[in-house]
Amino acid sequence: MSRRAPRERLDDIRAACAAIEQYVALGEDREWSSTREMLRYDAVRMRLVEIGIAVGALPERILAHEPTIPWRHVAELGARLTSRSFDTGRALVLETARVDVPRLRAAVDRLVAASV
Protein backbone atom coordinates (compact mmCIF):
# COMPACT_ATOMS: atom_id res chain seq x y z
CA MET A 1 0.00 0.00 0.00
CA SER A 2 1.40 3.37 -0.94
CA ARG A 3 1.56 6.22 1.51
CA ARG A 4 0.14 9.43 0.16
CA ALA A 5 1.39 12.79 1.32
CA PRO A 6 -1.09 15.11 3.05
CA ARG A 7 -1.14 17.40 -0.01
CA GLU A 8 -2.11 14.42 -2.19
CA ARG A 9 -4.90 13.56 0.25
CA LEU A 10 -6.15 17.14 0.12
CA ASP A 11 -6.10 16.97 -3.67
CA ASP A 12 -8.07 13.70 -3.50
CA ILE A 13 -10.70 15.41 -1.35
CA ARG A 14 -10.90 18.38 -3.72
CA ALA A 15 -11.33 16.08 -6.72
CA ALA A 16 -14.06 14.07 -4.98
CA CYS A 17 -15.87 17.26 -3.94
CA ALA A 18 -15.69 18.60 -7.50
CA ALA A 19 -17.11 15.35 -8.85
CA ILE A 20 -19.96 15.38 -6.33
CA GLU A 21 -20.79 18.99 -7.20
CA GLN A 22 -20.97 17.99 -10.88
CA TYR A 23 -23.22 15.02 -10.10
CA VAL A 24 -25.57 17.22 -8.10
CA ALA A 25 -25.70 19.83 -10.87
CA LEU A 26 -26.70 17.17 -13.42
CA GLY A 27 -30.15 16.77 -11.96
CA GLU A 28 -30.74 19.54 -9.48
CA ASP A 29 -34.48 19.70 -10.05
CA ARG A 30 -35.18 16.00 -10.48
CA GLU A 31 -36.05 13.36 -7.93
CA TRP A 32 -33.55 10.60 -7.27
CA SER A 33 -35.87 7.77 -8.26
CA SER A 34 -35.04 6.65 -11.80
CA THR A 35 -32.24 4.24 -12.69
CA ARG A 36 -30.13 7.15 -13.87
CA GLU A 37 -30.64 8.93 -10.58
CA MET A 38 -29.76 5.77 -8.66
CA LEU A 39 -26.45 5.70 -10.53
CA ARG A 40 -25.87 9.31 -9.57
CA TYR A 41 -26.72 8.53 -5.95
CA ASP A 42 -24.27 5.63 -5.95
CA ALA A 43 -21.56 7.83 -7.48
CA VAL A 44 -22.06 10.50 -4.82
CA ARG A 45 -22.00 7.88 -2.09
CA MET A 46 -18.74 6.41 -3.40
CA ARG A 47 -17.09 9.82 -3.55
CA LEU A 48 -18.20 10.47 0.04
CA VAL A 49 -16.48 7.21 0.99
CA GLU A 50 -13.30 8.43 -0.74
CA ILE A 51 -13.50 11.71 1.15
CA GLY A 52 -13.92 9.90 4.47
CA ILE A 53 -10.89 7.72 3.82
CA ALA A 54 -8.72 10.68 2.76
CA VAL A 55 -9.76 12.81 5.75
CA GLY A 56 -9.10 9.91 8.11
CA ALA A 57 -5.52 9.71 6.83
CA LEU A 58 -4.76 13.41 7.36
CA PRO A 59 -2.75 14.50 10.40
CA GLU A 60 -4.61 16.38 13.14
CA ARG A 61 -2.14 19.26 12.85
CA ILE A 62 -3.49 19.99 9.36
CA LEU A 63 -7.15 19.60 10.25
CA ALA A 64 -6.74 21.94 13.22
CA HIS A 65 -6.37 24.84 10.77
CA GLU A 66 -10.08 24.52 9.87
CA PRO A 67 -11.78 23.93 13.24
CA THR A 68 -15.32 24.64 11.99
CA ILE A 69 -15.34 21.46 9.91
CA PRO A 70 -16.37 18.36 11.90
CA TRP A 71 -13.41 16.35 10.57
CA ARG A 72 -14.04 13.30 12.74
CA HIS A 73 -17.60 13.03 11.42
CA VAL A 74 -16.37 13.42 7.85
CA ALA A 75 -13.86 10.62 8.38
CA GLU A 76 -16.51 8.40 9.97
CA LEU A 77 -18.88 9.01 7.07
CA GLY A 78 -16.90 6.70 4.79
CA ALA A 79 -17.10 3.87 7.30
CA ARG A 80 -20.82 4.42 7.87
CA LEU A 81 -21.55 4.43 4.15
CA THR A 82 -19.61 1.23 3.51
CA SER A 83 -20.78 -0.74 6.51
CA ARG A 84 -24.42 0.36 6.52
CA SER A 85 -25.01 1.42 2.93
CA PHE A 86 -28.50 -0.03 2.79
CA ASP A 87 -29.85 2.15 5.57
CA THR A 88 -28.35 5.39 4.30
CA GLY A 89 -31.21 7.48 3.01
CA ARG A 90 -30.99 9.18 -0.33
CA ALA A 91 -32.24 12.43 1.17
CA LEU A 92 -29.36 12.49 3.67
CA VAL A 93 -26.78 11.78 0.96
CA LEU A 94 -28.24 14.45 -1.32
CA GLU A 95 -28.37 17.01 1.48
CA THR A 96 -24.75 16.24 2.36
CA ALA A 97 -23.80 16.62 -1.31
CA ARG A 98 -25.65 19.91 -1.71
CA VAL A 99 -24.79 21.63 1.57
CA ASP A 100 -21.76 20.07 3.23
CA VAL A 101 -19.57 19.20 0.26
CA PRO A 102 -19.21 22.81 -0.99
CA ARG A 103 -18.24 23.92 2.54
CA LEU A 104 -15.76 21.07 2.81
CA ARG A 105 -14.26 21.91 -0.57
CA ALA A 106 -13.82 25.56 0.44
CA ALA A 107 -12.07 24.52 3.66
CA VAL A 108 -9.74 22.19 1.78
CA ASP A 109 -9.03 24.94 -0.76
CA ARG A 110 -8.00 27.20 2.12
CA LEU A 111 -5.75 24.47 3.56
CA VAL A 112 -4.04 24.01 0.21
CA ALA A 113 -3.65 27.76 -0.29
CA ALA A 114 -2.07 28.05 3.16
CA SER A 115 0.28 25.17 2.29
CA VAL A 116 -0.29 23.50 5.63
Side-chain angles (χ1 to χ4, degrees):
M1 179 189 287
S2 69
R3 289 196 53 121
R4 295 178 60 72
R7 173 57 193 262
E8 292 174 305
R9 298 282 185 184
L10 292 171
D11 287 341
D12 293 342
I13 296 166
R14 287 167 53 161
C17 287
I20 289 171
E21 290 170 341
Q22 287 178 337
Y23 302 151
V24 168
L26 286 174
E28 192 62 41
D29 296 325
R30 287 186 283 176
E31 187 133 340
W32 287 41
S33 58
S34 69
T35 301
R36 181 178 179 177
E37 296 309 303
M38 284 302 296
L39 291 173
R40 187 166 65 117
Y41 164 71
D42 287 343
V44 168
R45 228 177 50 204
M46 189 61 216
R47 293 297 187 148
L48 290 173
V49 169
E50 291 173 10
I51 290 169
I53 291 167
V55 166
L58 287 171
E60 275 297 317
R61 65 177 171 74
I62 290 176
L63 303 179
H65 290 274
E66 286 290 334
T68 62
I69 300 295
W71 295 109
R72 188 187 62 184
H73 294 303
V74 174
E76 291 171 353
L77 179 62
R80 285 195 310 266
L81 288 171
T82 56
S83 65
R84 297 179 8 203
S85 61
F86 295 106
D87 67 353
T88 305
R90 283 187 246 157
L92 175 63
V93 169
L94 182 57
E95 184 70 12
T96 299
R98 284 183 179 152
V99 176
D100 298 325
V101 166
R103 291 189 349 218
L104 177 64
R105 185 177 183 187
V108 172
D109 286 345
R110 288 189 298 273
L111 290 173
V112 168
S115 298
V116 294

